[in-house]
Amino acid sequence: MRKCGLTTNYERKTVKKPNIILVGFMGTGKSVIGKRLAQTLHYHFVDMDERIEVRAGKPITRIFAEDGEPRFRAMEKAMVQELAREQNLVVATGGGIVLNPDNIRDFSRSGLVVCLSATPDEILRRVGNSTHRPLLNQPDPAAAIRDLLAKRQPLYDAIPCQVNTTGKTIKEVADVIMAEVQRSRSERDKS
Ligand code: S3P
């Protein structure tokens, strides 16, 4: 007989649980935090950008350069629709997912959407030297971050669950999100 409250491996694999979807600007920690959460919760981790690259057979920089940003956004939207039908996932989205409100609507139906944020200085520190982000491959990445953030801020702010990652460790951010997950689970159980 198993002790009350313990979860068997069988249950972990078969019980369907709402997804956790991490959104937020580039460099806010979606992938690193997502991996940690997936480990803790025994969920499957999906990095949307990586999946899109596998599907396209080329890196995002080449999708942007050869097919254009609208093509990338269409691939992103198709991937959202696909992932929103699954469960037990932690999804790290691309920073531009908020540009299409359908994406947030679809993901919200599939689970808890959490918006990660960081200050522009912190974002620059984390991603300033990266070469795989086409929107930041510019002579002045700091200005690109400021401009994009200014345009997108209202879209990020519209997400009810917000977690600021500046100055926090991976564990601290993951703990805050875990508390939100517990809260949303108990709200769901009550209704
Ligand atoms: C983008 C963010 C990137 C990637 C693409 C576009 C954006 O993902 O999807 O370069 O529009 O903000 P990360 O947020 O994982 O860097």
Side-chain angles (χ1 to χ4, degrees):
M1 198 170 63
R2 78 185 170 84
K3 286 195 189 131
C4 195
L6 289 184
T7 309
T8 63
N9 281 338
Y10 175 76
E11 281 168 334
R12 270 189 201 127
K13 283 184 192 133
T14 54
V15 174
K16 298 284 179 219
K17 304 234 181 72
N19 298 328
I20 298 166
I21 299 99
L22 302 180
V23 307
F25 198 76
M26 293 172 266
T28 51
K30 292 163 294 187
S31 298
V32 67
I33 302 293
K35 280 180 195 153
R36 170 64 74 99
L37 287 172
Q39 246 174 17
T40 309
L41 288 160
H42 303 278
Y43 281 22
H44 184 63
F45 174 71
V46 177
D47 184 307
M48 277 189 65
D49 285 344
E50 276 176 21
R51 274 224 186 169
I52 290 172
E53 290 184 330
V54 169
R55 192 150 299 174
K58 53 186 169 186
I60 287 179
T61 40
R62 272 184 58 205
I63 304 176
F64 270 68
E66 294 168 14
D67 311 316
E69 183 173 344
R71 174 74 195 123
F72 173 75
R73 298 299 172 200
M75 294 181 78
E76 225 176 14
K77 184 172 194 284
M79 181 79 57
V80 170
Q81 289 172 345
E82 204 175 300
L83 295 173
R85 286 195 289 270
E86 294 185 38
Q87 288 181 302
N88 301 59
L89 300 181
V90 177
V91 183
T93 64
I97 205 88
V98 290
L99 295 171
N100 186 336
D102 291 353
N103 292 337
I104 300 301
R105 185 204 55 205
D106 290 346
F107 266 150
S108 298
R109 288 186 185 143
S110 88
L112 178 67
V113 178
V114 180
C115 182
L116 303 185
S117 64
T119 61
D121 283 350
E122 180 69 14
I123 289 171
L124 182 65
R125 198 181 62 73
R126 292 180 190 169
V127 302
N129 294 327
S130 75
T131 52
H132 65 278
R133 291 181 170 93
L135 298 176
L136 302 183
N137 280 349
Q138 303 206 19
D140 189 351
I145 290 170
R146 270 197 312 274
D147 291 352
L148 276 174
L149 258 181
K151 281 191 206 126
R152 293 180 182 177
Q153 201 59 59
L155 302 172
Y156 293 126
D157 289 347
I159 292 160
C161 182
Q162 298 280 333
V163 180
N164 189 339
T165 66
T166 304
K168 294 203 184 90
T169 63
I170 297 170
K171 182 179 182 316
E172 283 167 340
V173 176
D175 285 350
V176 174
I177 297 174
M178 283 300 296
E180 283 298 322
V181 170
Q182 297 298 352
R183 207 179 49 79
S184 77
R185 276 182 186 168
S186 50
E187 265 175 24
R188 214 180 44 246
D189 291 347
K190 272 187 236 149
S191 63

